[in-house]
Amino acid sequence: MAKRGSRPWAGLLARAGGALLLPAVLATAAAAQTPPRDSCARLAGMFVRADEIGLPTSGAVVQSASFVAAGAADNPHGEYCAVRGLIVPASAAAPNMEFQVNLPSEWNGKALQLGGGGYDGTLVTGLGPAGLQPAEAPSALRQGFATLGSDGGHKGAPGFDGSFGLNDEALLNFGQQSVKKTHDVAAAIIRARYGAAPRRFYFIGNSQGGHEALDAAARYAADYDGVVANYPAYNVTLLHLGSLNAGQALYGEGGAGWINPAKTRLITDAVFAACDGLDGAADGLISNVAGCNAAFGVATLRERLRCPEGRDAGDGCLSDAQIAAVERIASPYRPGFPIAGMAEFPRWALLEGARFEGRSTFGTRPVPNNPPTAEDALLFNAGAATVQFIVTRQPGFDALRFDPAAWRARLEESGRIMDVTDISLAPFRARGGKIILLHGTADDFITPHNTVNYYERQRAAFGQEGLDGFLRFFVIPGLGHGFGAFNARYDGLGLLDRWVESGEAPDAPVARDGNPGANRSRPMCRYPSWPRFEGSGSPDDAASFRCVVP
């Protein structure tokens, strides 16, 4: 008797590798009040029916349930059961979704789902840090949370492997649905193990994982009590058009505007020379972004760094074409029509403290490959992959020639799939959900102004007082895309849990610099305030700073 979106068990067995299936209700009864090791073993072969999952699938299969004893040197999480399995797609042409759920023997009654990154495609085991958690902090699993994650509904090669986007169901999973499907399967497994549903269910993620966190809050409000979204890629379609625009600025006219790593450093060093001290401390961090905008812009760049007669004369100056590329990158981008309710993508922070170095460079050659590789600008890699595999669905398409107007209908459709920009948070707020939102000023892969735009959209919808009751937004100077001059680490899970459980809203928590050998801290200032050094005390101590409004 097949349920909605399900197949006969024989077909499901074949797709799941021949595992023995045990319906969830039987697993629940079998696991109740038994020793943890035995409860874990009995989860192997469990089957979650399609009608137990709130979106179309063919059900889910637990392929393995491994008991992990406490005390081993390679196990910092305490005693737990590691459950792995597959969520089988509704369509036979779509890939399986791999998941993992970790069940502590001493459960605190709560669950934490962790998000992915990039294009997903790699299993999030639920054993890693919770967002930007400090390295010395105990893992969520160690703290008693059941933890979980998935691969987003497909497997992918390193970098921007967008090939999954050629399949409709895989694209929907990446764009929004893997969050809910993984949640529902994990909830069934948690009930089977403990005989009860989680009392609290949280989501924490960075980048694409931050996008998934906002999907959890906006699209699946009834399932979650709180989320943490660090530098979220909440509007993938428009974000990657903005990324492509940066690539087109660099590579247009045969690469005349391309900026090599030495020239990139020339630009950013000039920015720091003008702006580093504007926050009261010359510490390699630009905190006063508004002051920096006033002190250094494209006109300043042209005045100080332009090559004689505007012709390229080596790494010590910028040609007119290169200055034009900087101006395009540091200006808002408009595709000509709104995508998920957003008509403009904001400027990149190239003239505000983002370094665009390391893995985020503008590449090492003036003419990119098709498809682009690691030798080409990271932003162009992201934009080109989305154009080739998701928008046009032509893997050989020349992304440098992409015209949004010619693909408007498909871009709007992609926005409905992958962008959570215009999905209201009102249901989440109404049920008491809480959101911690964070971005770094030095992010060179998702501009911080993108998250500022999201926050301002919510403020317009709820008003400042209404917004403060359920969403707090922190901007961290010097933090890039998970790295940076100030590699901020903070206990987002602890802050979120205290807010949900006791109403203790985070106001100005302290972040520590996670860089090797670093020993400094800063207050996490709520937007739009920023940390100003008060002139006394140590510039390495958060207590020496005060959050001020521009």
Side-chain angles (χ1 to χ4, degrees):
M1 182 172 62
K3 303 292 185 180
R4 174 181 55 83
S6 67
R7 293 189 185 85
W9 278 25
L12 183 57
L13 280 167
R15 298 205 61 194
L20 175 63
L21 304 180
L22 182 65
V25 64
L26 299 180
T28 302
Q33 299 182 354
T34 57
R37 185 183 294 273
D38 294 341
S39 294
C40 181
R42 290 174 182 175
L43 293 173
M46 175 179 164
F47 169 53
V48 181
R49 300 189 318 271
D51 62 358
E52 296 179 89
I53 303 169
L55 293 169
T57 71
S58 296
V61 181
V62 171
Q63 294 184 302
S64 67
S66 304
F67 183 77
V68 182
D74 59 349
N75 174 25
H77 307 295
E79 184 179 284
Y80 69 100
C81 177
V83 178
R84 284 195 179 186
L86 299 176
I87 301 172
V88 182
S91 165
N96 292 319
M97 184 186 307
E98 187 180 16
F99 67 85
Q100 179 162 333
V101 183
N102 307 295
L103 306 165
S105 296
E106 296 184 11
W107 186 41
N108 65 8
K110 305 174 189 179
L112 172 65
Q113 187 170 351
L114 298 180
Y119 270 153
D120 287 338
T122 300
L123 176 65
V124 175
T125 64
L127 299 175
L132 297 178
Q133 183 182 42
E136 66 274 12
S139 69
L141 183 56
R142 183 77 183 190
Q143 295 177 54
F145 290 84
T147 65
L148 55 134
S150 77
D151 62 6
H154 64 274
K155 297 300 182 188
F160 288 92
D161 177 4
S163 57
F164 71 92
L166 301 175
N167 179 275
D168 287 343
E169 187 172 350
L171 180 58
L172 273 169
N173 284 334
F174 167 75
Q176 55 184 264
Q177 292 190 356
S178 66
V179 172
K180 169 70 171 169
K181 293 176 181 179
T182 305
H183 168 280
D184 289 1
V185 170
I189 292 169
I190 290 169
R191 287 192 301 269
R193 167 61 180 88
Y194 301 113
R199 187 172 58 83
R200 300 293 188 193
F201 217 117
Y202 301 136
F203 197 113
I204 295 180
N206 308 336
S207 192
Q208 165 63 8
H211 168 208
E212 293 163 354
L214 294 178
D215 270 333
R219 299 185 190 274
Y220 313 115
D223 293 330
Y224 296 91
D225 298 286
V227 308
V228 177
N230 298 315
Y231 39 92
Y234 68 88
N235 54 346
V236 178
T237 307
L238 187 58
L239 167 64
H240 285 180
L241 284 183
S243 302
L244 181 65
N245 178 64
Q248 290 173 332
L250 295 167
Y251 297 129
E253 299 182 16
W258 178 65
I259 303 166
N260 69 25
K263 287 177 181 276
T264 303
R265 188 72 184 197
L266 178 73
I267 295 166
T268 58
D269 280 352
V271 172
F272 273 84
C275 300
D276 187 2
L278 297 178
D279 51 17
D283 54 1
L285 309 177
I286 295 174
S287 302
N288 185 357
V289 174
C292 187
N293 290 155
F296 197 99
V298 174
T300 316
L301 187 80
R302 183 177 290 109
E303 176 186 337
R304 298 181 184 179
L305 298 181
R306 182 176 182 260
C307 295
E309 300 181 0
R311 300 190 185 95
D312 196 345
D315 291 343
C317 63
L318 300 173
S319 69
D320 285 345
Q322 290 160 348
I323 293 171
V326 171
E327 184 169 21
R328 184 169 169 182
I329 292 167
S331 299
Y333 163 73
R334 301 173 186 87
F337 49 89
I339 296 174
M342 190 171 177
E344 178 181 285
F345 183 79
R347 66 188 183 275
W348 298 95
L350 177 58
L351 301 183
E352 301 172 351
R355 283 290 192 179
F356 288 90
E357 60 186 11
R359 63 190 186 197
S360 297
T361 69
F362 294 138
T364 58
R365 58 188 177 191
V367 178
N369 192 57
N370 185 17
T373 71
E375 296 181 63
D376 303 311
L378 182 65
L379 294 180
F380 183 64
N381 270 267
T386 292
V387 162
Q388 292 171 331
F389 290 99
I390 294 174
V391 180
T392 68
R393 287 181 159 173
Q394 300 173 27
F397 191 94
D398 183 357
L400 288 177
R401 299 180 181 276
F402 181 74
D403 176 10
W407 295 90
R408 176 171 179 169
R410 178 58 181 168
L411 285 166
E412 290 173 338
E413 182 182 15
S414 296
R416 289 190 291 272
I417 294 170
M418 299 193 298
D419 298 24
V420 71
T421 314
D422 57 353
I423 307 299
S424 176
L425 292 171
F428 190 66
R429 175 176 178 259
R431 75 178 303 269
K434 308 299 182 186
I435 299 174
I436 294 174
L437 192 61
L438 178 143
H439 215 121
T441 63
D443 197 328
D444 45 22
F445 191 52
I446 301 176
T447 171
H449 300 293
N450 198 43
T451 302
V452 168
N453 280 10
Y454 185 83
Y455 178 80
E456 294 293 359
R457 187 182 188 95
Q458 307 313 317
R459 181 156 63 178
F462 298 104
Q464 190 66 65
E465 184 177 353
L467 188 60
D468 287 347
F470 81 102
L471 189 154
R472 296 293 172 96
F473 176 32
F474 302 95
V475 176
I476 311 298
L479 174 65
H481 206 69
F483 52 91
F486 186 82
N487 193 8
R489 292 294 178 265
Y490 76 106
D491 181 17
L493 176 58
L495 293 174
L496 182 67
D497 192 43
R498 285 191 294 275
W499 194 5
V500 169
E501 293 283 26
S502 63
E504 183 184 337
D507 187 41
V510 172
R512 301 202 63 83
D513 188 347
N515 283 311
N519 185 26
R520 60 179 178 175
S521 59
R522 289 287 186 278
M524 293 169 54
C525 297
R526 290 172 57 191
Y527 175 84
S529 62
W530 52 272
R532 184 176 69 192
F533 182 57
E534 293 293 270
S536 60
S538 169
D540 292 334
D541 186 354
S544 303
F545 291 78
R546 184 166 64 91
C547 295
V548 298
V549 178

